[in-house]
Amino acid sequence: MSRPDNKKFFENLTGAGKSIAVLTSGGDAQGMNAAVRAVVRMGIYVGAKVYFIHEGYQGMVDGGDNIEEAKWESVSSMLQVGGTVIGSARCKEFRTHEGRLKAAHNLVQKGITNLCVIGGDGSLTGANLFREEWSGLLAELFEQGLIDEDAAQIYSALHIVGMVGSIDNDFCGTDMTIGTDSALHRIIEVVDAIMTTAQSHQRTFVLEVMGRHCGYLALVSALACGADWVLIPEMPPEDGWEEKMCQKLSAKRAGMKRLNIIIVAEGAIDRNNQPITSDHIKDLVVSRLGFDTRVTILGHVQRGGTPSAFDRILASRMGVEAVLALLETTANTAACVVSLCGNQSVRLPLMECVQMTQEVQKAMDEKRFEEAVQLRGRSFENNLKTYKLLAHRKPESELPHSNFNVAVLNVGAPAAGMNAAVRSAIRVGISEGHKMFAVNDGFEGFYKGQIKEIKWADVGGWTGQGGSLLGTKRTLPAKHVGEIAEQMRKYNINALLVIGGFETCDRIKQSASGTKRRVFIIETMGGYCGYLASVGGLAAGADAAYIYEEPFDIRDLQANVEHLTAKMKTSIQRGLILRNENSNENYTTDFIYQLYSEEGRGVFDCRKNVLGHMQQGGAPSPFDRNFGTKIAAKAMQWITKKLNESYRQGRVFANTEDSACLLGMRRRAMVFQPVVQLKDETDFVHRIPKEQWWLKLRPLMKILAKYKTSYDVSDSGQLEHVVLNRPKASEAIAAI
């Protein structure tokens, strides 16, 4: 098949003759192993030699067995392992010139001039200093007779690419750092568990989470669990906060709430830069309110456990992008860091990001807290604004007055995160002065009149609930337009917020992990959309994922079986095959299972599993809670804006294309697109978009499973600059 001339494919880039080393430094973070795996396999795939540097910079200084050539099989079965299997250590010696001289000598002995560094801003700053000193270090080594002139010329330039591994998400220039999402999973698991015991005994819990200099974990976990109060270093509370907090906790109890949750970052401070400790908060609540109060310090449990699907995918994408960046680098290329912006990987100048990160701390030290929040980036700033909007209800006298009635309903399949979105929409709507209505059971409930006004307190505790508390059905409105119109007239509904879609599915809740020489055949949901199978395959290290969007035949199946058989014969490992439920009407899950069982006889055995509706069940992930909350808040603010624009002479005139829009993410931004425009972009028969961004990720899964394939890198290779965008007033909660 011919390929478009305007696209760039990575086969044109070669790693032949290059040596790449990968190290992890500083604190460990879940997902680091996925990044190491991606660097190793992508490096070997393009023909480069790849080395592990064990124990971070300490291993680089010590040399010897700490610098070890990596093989393809070296990184098998490490994708799902937390921490870093190649070790990480803080190294005082590397901070000295003598230590860096030893490190340079050890790298030159192995012919290494390309480094992938996974760590925080300190580790990346050290790497950049090493790069800047490189030529001088080689000159010293030559003068001391430790290397010859040829080596000094051949290895004259050191190239650096960084990936940020930090659970704190404290690095400017990226939406998420490796490990953050997994840490949020650990926190939310604890919060959800604590809520049950707190309700039983009517207790107040103070939870201390990590974040010595950054409050991201505290802020997002507070947003995801609906905490009553949150304390972070970037935005200390106003003077007199103690009284305000106690008033709020007391009001919640008076409103029949049986528990209170307060989340505090370990680095929380007051306006005078004095620490606010979890014990101080406990003593405050006990002395002023007399509530039974307990403190839970999560500590290093936040760093532990299996990395989330999000972190595995993020780290895998970053690792591949890092190798591509090294292949394209020249002697004059600045050190870069691979970042995430929206759903895209981007490259940014490493030191620009480091300097902006350091500016945040400087602003906090100088009590310029508003600026510190802005420097953290639009995502952090809008998390904070959203939390304030949803957690603190204004008195009725301070609310704007609106003549508008807005209804919220769920449609389609239930999805984790729906309830967080409903809660957010209801509370933002009330804050905007609207009268809010809830519709039960989707459009079916709408035409039957299952509509009631819903208040602020009615959606308390909804954030962590799975499924749809409003109820949702697949009934389409077409047959009941007349009845629905009558109900809208009866309740004077001026606007609708519909949360749902063709098929809204949560991430895969179960991945296959088997014994050696066993292949799992897993069927995922998704209708005709192969997102779950494809991205789940990338997260789980699958060997193949069969989807409707990428047609396959018996020859493809046979090639996959032969490829897997060859792998099993050379190394003992497990295999994983995913199949989207509607990928092909003839090549069913049973057929594929029987084919693999027969053709793999004597080499591996097979098991199959149809995940089914368990994928829609369970509590929503931190990402789903946070995303649902912010996207619904943005939608409700858009509705308010449109209602005000279209209100004339006591009526709402919604007769333009942009009065009915779909809100979703496109590349790097949240976009409102008129529904009428979706007609040309949608395959209505199969209920999927005609173009899907995630299809570009499928070659990554194949490459990392050792298949020869093409990979479009048209979006790669552009070194961008860090820009601090200031959102307009109307976009105050827009950025996600």
Side-chain angles (χ1 to χ4, degrees), residues 422-433:
V422 171
R423 168 185 176 268
S424 176
I426 297 299
R427 291 194 169 180
V428 172
I430 291 172
S431 296
E432 299 281 351

Side-chain angles (χ1 to χ4, degrees), residues 85 123 182 189 191 200 223 297 511 556 628 663 666 706 709:
V85 298
S123 302
S182 298
E189 286 166 5
V191 172
S200 300
L223 195 60
I297 299 174
S511 60
D556 297 309
L663 174 58
R666 287 209 167 187
K706 217 172 184 177
T709 188

Side-chain angles (χ1 to χ4, degrees), residues 443-444 446-449 451 477-490:
F443 285 114
E444 182 175 318
F446 206 162
Y447 83 80
K448 290 181 178 178
I451 305 166
K479 296 180 180 179
H480 308 283
V481 171
E483 294 104 314
I484 290 173
E486 175 58 27
Q487 294 295 339
M488 291 186 73
R489 185 200 62 77
K490 178 180 176 181

